[in-house]
Amino acid sequence: MCSAPFHPMCGRTPAICLFAGAGLEYFVLKFRLPTRRRNVIATIVGVLLILALGSLARDIAFPYQTKKDREMSRLADEWISLRDPAGGVWLKRPFNDTPFDIDWYLLKGVAWDRSRIYDLPAVPPDLDSHAEWWVLETRAEESGAPSSQQSVFAAHGYAPGRSLDISFNRSNFKLQQWRRDK
């Protein structure tokens, strides 16, 4: 009875879905009359629908439920207040290789305009077109070449500014600001 063929986090159907489905099937098959069986199925579907809609309403009313969600939301709001809306955002990895939640907060930071995020490891071709850049990199990438990033930005007249540390799902990221006087 689990509606999804697999769980997105582990790639397999969770055992609870299988056990719940088997239990519900056993319960429904106890009713021999087709009209009663249909009524029981309709009741079960109605209860599951109410639970799903209630959960959806809760998520809409209170979107940041976990401590990590509230922390990421606060960090995104801080970043939005710090960054120049016309500034650039450079990911040191492809956009789709960052965790979905990080992508979501990055898009929130650039007013949902995906084209404003440069996501290749090479230096952005329009580096000089912005007075400010924010660079997102993992701690592993940062430890590999912080001096090359500094030399690239220094050669174009940028100086390091604020940095924000992000720890998310066993991944550590650093969001570094680079500014130059206009």
Side-chain angles (χ1 to χ4, degrees):
M1 288 203 81
C2 187
S3 62
F6 64 92
H7 191 270
M9 298 302 283
C10 64
R12 295 180 295 277
T13 303
I16 189 69
C17 287
L18 297 173
F19 291 133
L24 287 173
E25 180 184 28
Y26 178 78
F27 178 73
V28 168
L29 291 177
K30 288 287 188 182
F31 296 92
R32 301 245 186 260
L33 295 173
T35 55
R36 278 209 169 162
R37 192 177 286 174
R38 267 184 272 145
N39 290 341
V40 169
I41 290 173
T43 303
I44 290 172
V45 168
V47 168
L48 290 175
L49 185 61
I50 289 169
L51 288 173
L53 291 175
S55 179
L56 179 66
R58 182 202 61 208
D59 289 346
I60 290 171
F62 306 102
Y64 307 110
Q65 297 174 13
T66 67
K67 182 180 177 185
K68 189 57 83 176
D69 289 333
R70 288 188 299 274
E71 184 179 310
M72 286 295 296
S73 178
R74 181 197 54 75
L75 189 63
D77 291 342
E78 180 182 352
W79 178 52
I80 290 168
S81 70
L82 290 173
R83 78 178 287 273
D84 176 5
V89 178
W90 177 15
L91 304 183
K92 298 288 289 271
R93 58 180 25 205
F95 184 76
N96 294 331
D97 286 352
T98 56
F100 172 77
D101 296 38
I102 300 288
D103 292 347
W104 192 87
Y105 287 109
L106 284 172
L107 286 170
K108 180 180 175 183
V110 295
W112 309 104
D113 184 2
R114 169 67 179 87
S115 67
R116 293 174 56 194
I117 298 175
Y118 181 80
D119 66 341
L120 293 175
V123 177
D126 62 344
L127 188 65
D128 290 321
S129 66
H130 300 291
E132 173 189 83
W133 278 91
W134 284 86
V135 180
L136 179 76
E137 57 192 351
T138 63
R139 289 292 185 195
E141 292 163 342
E142 175 198 354
S143 64
S147 59
S148 67
Q149 179 178 307
Q150 282 182 332
S151 63
V152 166
F153 280 104
H156 290 269
Y158 291 90
R162 301 268 319 257
S163 69
L164 303 171
D165 292 317
I166 304 167
S167 295
F168 193 79
N169 289 346
R170 295 185 221 115
S171 297
N172 294 314
F173 296 89
K174 180 179 181 181
L175 193 56
Q176 176 68 53
Q177 178 188 40
W178 293 89
R179 295 191 61 87
R180 70 172 171 202
D181 295 327
K182 294 179 181 182

